[in-house]
Amino acid sequence: MKHIAVIGAGTMGNGIAHTFAQNGFKVNLIDLHQSSLDRGIATIAKNLDRMIAKEKISEADKNETLGNIIPFTELSKGVKNVDLVVEAAVEHVDIKLKIFKDLDGLCDPKTILATNTSSISITQIAAATERPDKVIGMHFMNPVPIMKLVEIIRGYSTSDEVTKTIMSLSETLGKVPVEVNDYPGFVANRILMPMINESIETLYNGVAGVYEIDTVMKLGMAHPMGPLQLADFIGLDVCLSILNVMYDGFKNPKYAPCPLLVNMVRAGKLGVKSGEGFYDYSESKKAETIAAQFSN
């Protein structure tokens, strides 16, 4: 397996492309918009420059990595003759179902189709294809080039052979793959999102402020960042989407999103990507925000 296609050039997509390319794979990076591809490749180059500055790679390594990535704006051309497709589009079930239905008709019958979804059912996605045995979840963590974990999620029909292939491939990337079964939230978000949601409830109920809640979790529980800061980093809209998937899947009120989270998303306060969430990331507040985040 040497030729990979990655769908989506956003944060997760460019990170996945970076990781495969740096490990010697040929990567077709696909996005509908050329501007998104340009930003994605620029981000990869910037991250490689950071690695050069830390003396982890050489300039030649950077050039080789970038040379392994070919951008495409047409899905049909980008997935031609690849061994594996990793979908990293937006976390919206209808969009993913459409992508996988299209992939099924465009890709070679032997091609494995993977999704980086953090919560949507692999079984549901696989049902949009005629190859459910070759559909699997590869849930990378952000930032992809640094984080070691990959959740490998088996759908109801995912074959043993495909699972073993993707587990082995993940190890080739220097990752630690963990096999889990297909239930809402899988493992990572089934545990993480209720913690974030409870932190938001704690703020909503006036128990403590943003800084105080994050400080308790950082200093008392040895978390590298507080749950509210982490929610900002993930994106509050993404957190809300995952909680809704879990609530719909389990019908258990403990997964119901906090009203404060719902209102913040409605107001466009999505975290880092919108410039404001639980913290203010605007230029005037950036230094103060960073200082508060890392003061402990």
Side-chain angles (χ1 to χ4, degrees), residues 90-163:
V90 295
E91 192 73 351
H92 191 291
V93 63
D94 291 337
I95 292 174
K96 291 186 186 295
L97 293 178
K98 174 66 165 59
I99 289 172
F100 273 78
K101 183 177 181 179
D102 290 344
L103 288 174
D104 194 42
L106 293 170
C107 294
D108 185 281
K110 295 180 181 179
T111 301
I112 296 173
L113 307 180
T115 173
N116 183 58
T117 181
S118 56
S119 61
I120 297 170
S121 168
I122 307 303
T123 302
Q124 182 181 7
I125 292 172
T129 76
E130 298 296 327
R131 62 180 88 192
D133 58 314
K134 293 183 175 63
V135 178
I136 195 165
M138 290 185 78
H139 181 205
F140 290 86
M141 305 293 124
N142 184 29
V144 180
I146 296 173
M147 299 292 279
K148 291 290 186 180
L149 175 66
V150 184
E151 270 190 308
I152 306 298
I153 306 105
R154 294 186 63 142
Y156 187 84
S157 300
T158 307
S159 71
D160 291 340
E161 180 183 359
V162 166
T163 302

Side-chain angles (χ1 to χ4, degrees), residues 6-19 29 86-89 116-118 138-145 147 149 233-234:
V6 177
I7 299 175
T11 300
M12 296 305 295
N14 72 61
I16 294 167
H18 173 163
T19 300
L29 181 58
V86 182
E87 172 271 320
N116 183 58
T117 181
S118 56
M138 290 185 78
H139 181 205
F140 290 86
M141 305 293 124
N142 184 29
V144 180
M147 299 292 279
L149 175 66
F233 184 68
I234 294 169

Side-chain angles (χ1 to χ4, degrees), residues 59 104 134 137 154 191 201 210 233 251 258 263 287 290:
E59 188 72 32
D104 194 42
K134 293 183 175 63
R154 294 186 63 142
I191 295 170
E201 286 277 2
V210 171
F233 184 68
K251 300 297 189 291
C258 176
N263 277 343
I290 292 171

Side-chain angles (χ1 to χ4, degrees), residues 72-266:
F72 288 87
T73 54
E74 293 184 43
L75 183 65
S76 59
K77 293 181 179 180
V79 300
K80 188 176 181 180
N81 299 323
V82 299
D83 303 304
L84 168 70
V85 178
V86 182
E87 172 271 320
V90 295
E91 192 73 351
H92 191 291
V93 63
D94 291 337
I95 292 174
K96 291 186 186 295
L97 293 178
K98 174 66 165 59
I99 289 172
F100 273 78
K101 183 177 181 179
D102 290 344
L103 288 174
D104 194 42
L106 293 170
C107 294
D108 185 281
K110 295 180 181 179
T111 301
I112 296 173
L113 307 180
T115 173
N116 183 58
T117 181
S118 56
S119 61
I120 297 170
S121 168
I122 307 303
T123 302
Q124 182 181 7
I125 292 172
T129 76
E130 298 296 327
R131 62 180 88 192
D133 58 314
K134 293 183 175 63
V135 178
I136 195 165
M138 290 185 78
H139 181 205
F140 290 86
M141 305 293 124
N142 184 29
V144 180
I146 296 173
M147 299 292 279
K148 291 290 186 180
L149 175 66
V150 184
E151 270 190 308
I152 306 298
I153 306 105
R154 294 186 63 142
Y156 187 84
S157 300
T158 307
S159 71
D160 291 340
E161 180 183 359
V162 166
T163 302
K164 290 176 182 176
T165 297
I166 297 303
M167 292 283 284
S168 176
L169 175 67
S170 300
E171 291 173 349
T172 301
L173 298 174
K175 304 299 185 184
V176 178
V178 176
E179 181 183 337
V180 305
N181 290 319
D182 186 21
Y183 291 94
F186 315 134
V187 171
N189 282 320
R190 185 168 180 173
I191 295 170
L192 175 63
M193 286 302 151
M195 183 193 74
I196 287 176
N197 198 43
E198 191 62 30
S199 302
I200 300 171
E201 286 277 2
T202 303
L203 176 66
Y204 181 58
N205 292 330
V207 178
V210 171
Y211 174 78
E212 288 75 17
I213 292 168
D214 276 356
T215 299
V216 167
M217 296 305 290
K218 286 159 66 179
L219 298 187
M221 314 305 165
H223 290 195
M225 68 172 69
L228 300 176
Q229 179 192 353
L230 179 57
D232 276 355
F233 184 68
I234 294 169
L236 302 192
D237 54 335
V238 176
C239 293
L240 178 60
S241 175
I242 295 170
L243 284 164
N244 281 331
V245 167
M246 293 169 65
Y247 182 57
D248 290 343
F250 290 116
K251 300 297 189 291
N252 189 323
K254 74 178 182 179
Y255 298 116
C258 176
L260 175 59
L261 174 62
V262 174
N263 277 343
M264 290 180 71
V265 172
R266 285 174 177 167

Side-chain angles (χ1 to χ4, degrees), residues 270-289:
L270 308 182
V272 174
K273 61 186 169 186
S274 71
E276 184 179 352
F278 293 106
Y279 293 88
D280 188 341
Y281 301 92
S282 61
E283 287 299 325
S284 61
K285 290 284 187 179
K286 190 173 291 184
E288 179 182 330
T289 299

